[in-house]
Amino acid sequence: MSLSNPSLQKDVSIIIPVHNRRDLTERCLESIAGSTNQVTYEVIVVDNGSTDGTRELLDAIDGDFTVVANKLNEGFASACNRGARIANGRYLLFLNNDTEVPDNYLDVLTSCAAKHPEVAAIGAKLIYPNGKAQHAGIAFDEEGTPFHIFQNFAADHPAICESREMAAVTAACMLIEKKHFESVFGFDASYQNGFEDVDLCLKLAQKGLRSYYCADCTILHHEESTEGRKTHDAENMILFATRWTGLIEQDDNKYLAPYGLEIQQKGNGWAYVETQGESNAIGTNPQIMLDTAQKKYLEGRHEEAAKILNSIVSKRLTLGTDDEFETWQLLGNCMARLNKAEEAEEAYLHAAETDFNSERPFLGLGSVAMLQENWTAAQYGFLAALSRNPETTRGEFGLGISLAARGRHSDSLKHFKKVVEREPRNSEAVFYLYRSSMEANKPQEAIAALSRYLEENTDDVDFWFHLSGAQWKSGSFDDAIATCRKVLELNPQHAGAESALRFMESRVGAAV
């Protein structure tokens, strides 16, 4: 068996953690070797102490193929993190060994990533051998518990065949750009073979990065074939709830409603049932239509809201000036959420024509330009918003982002500082202030903001790690080492702190 094709830099690094089940691993690798893709890739298998002949199988494979051999079973998260550290690709594809891939699966996933730059984690359509769906995205119920929504639906059901943003996707097959994976320090090894992927998606969401279900990529998944897969579910759930309770909103209904479904209790379990459907007799009263669209938008039903709003504007129904503005503005918001940049831009321009003094359409235009990575246009949009309302924090933040993207870190720093002064608990603003401070070689600015933030968020391990880096860059070596040790006290498994601490201590020791 020969895997991949020779070249130095790869587009994708496929990372497969394994523990026994040689038969599944062999079938998975054979499907990879037999698939055809335009993008280049390497395969990294992390063997978690297999004892069933898996290692002999791996030793017989050639090509761009790397084996990381662990003496013990270190678990899914640690294995994936170890594979990611040596990966050479721009993208990482975490893939279970109980999967089988078709032709072009890498081309489809990377193409999806290119079309949705705001998305970090992309999950595939996973189908059981019986033809039923296993994964079409992960949602949260009213208790904040993640679950595979639409599981066991027919593979050709519309809910399975339509791509969409999701709260989370499974790492049984997850594509993520390596820089995004590293930005949240990888999977949390505190989890033991469960919830690591949902936790990762939520950490990405805190940075404004989204998760996406790609229905165009279909993978066969035998699911949960790893020994001890469910052994630690109770502990994992407790850890997950401790970390995320109060920060998660129920979202299952917004995915169910477009298909006329809801979840209802059935005996000791639950089932998907068809709803009666809401009355479509909202008539042609523009005020009722606008109110209905606003309600749907707040529920996350953006396509339905946009349909009503388009009906209002296409039929030129009579509206007062304020309602006309709200219609165009809300339509722009819907189209932006649906990643339809041109339609969003057109709607925001109509809103600006209706009320040229409002900052809101220009904030929308700036945001749409950011989605397209048109940083100059984004800068103009946010500047226009700030000229109309100098107190708009969103404008300051957007302007900071667009300047930073163009390498103007000293200028972006000024805007992030304004946001943090107004909202010292805004973790996203503090993070970007830290990044711009480091790029502008002004680490003291980062130290001040991070220290204020950590006074009230003492358990935020990532921000303690950022503070350590800023202290090191400022020349406060002892403080940096002490802070890095604190990171390891809070999380002994932190992906970067241990190596950073060794580096710092070796440099300080050499200087002495």
Side-chain angles (χ1 to χ4, degrees), residues 6 19 21 43 141 166 175 190 193 201-202 209 218 255 269 317 349 420:
H19 175 66
R21 293 307 305 266
V43 177
D141 64 16
M166 296 295 302
L175 183 82
S190 303
N193 299 334
C201 292
L202 293 177
L209 296 167
T218 302
Y255 301 120
L317 298 175
L349 289 172
V420 172

Side-chain angles (χ1 to χ4, degrees), residues 70-81:
N70 294 330
K71 293 182 178 179
L72 302 174
N73 187 351
E74 297 183 0
F76 177 85
S78 291
C80 288
N81 290 341

Side-chain angles (χ1 to χ4, degrees), residues 10 133 156 170 188 231 235 263 297 322 364 375 395 427 473 490 509:
K10 301 298 180 184
D156 60 354
T170 179
D188 189 337
T231 304
E235 302 98 307
I263 296 177
Y297 176 80
D322 290 343
W375 305 113
S427 60
K473 189 163 187 175
L490 292 170

Side-chain angles (χ1 to χ4, degrees), residues 188-250:
D188 189 337
S190 303
Y191 296 98
Q192 301 180 65
N193 299 334
F195 291 83
E196 305 97 330
D197 43 10
V198 183
D199 181 85
L200 177 79
C201 292
L202 293 177
K203 290 191 294 184
L204 291 167
Q206 287 186 324
K207 293 181 175 293
L209 296 167
R210 304 173 187 174
S211 299
Y212 193 83
Y213 165 62
C214 178
D216 297 324
C217 180
T218 302
I219 306 291
L220 180 63
H221 189 202
H222 298 278
E223 194 195 20
E224 298 174 358
S225 302
T226 303
E227 296 173 18
R229 169 65 179 83
K230 294 288 188 178
T231 304
H232 302 285
D233 270 8
E235 302 98 307
N236 289 333
M237 187 65 221
I238 292 171
L239 174 60
F240 182 83
T242 301
R243 183 166 297 171
W244 293 107
T245 295
L247 301 175
I248 295 172
E249 294 183 4
Q250 179 184 4

Side-chain angles (χ1 to χ4, degrees), residues 38 151-153 159 178 185 206 309 363 428 490 503:
Q38 295 297 313
Q151 188 172 21
N152 287 316
F153 274 46
K178 186 176 182 180
F185 306 106
Q206 287 186 324
L309 296 166
L363 290 172
E428 192 174 16
L490 292 170
F503 169 80

Side-chain angles (χ1 to χ4, degrees), residues 174-175 235 393 456 490 505 512:
M174 175 193 286
L175 183 82
E235 302 98 307
T393 300
E456 297 188 21
L490 292 170
E505 289 178 335
V512 172

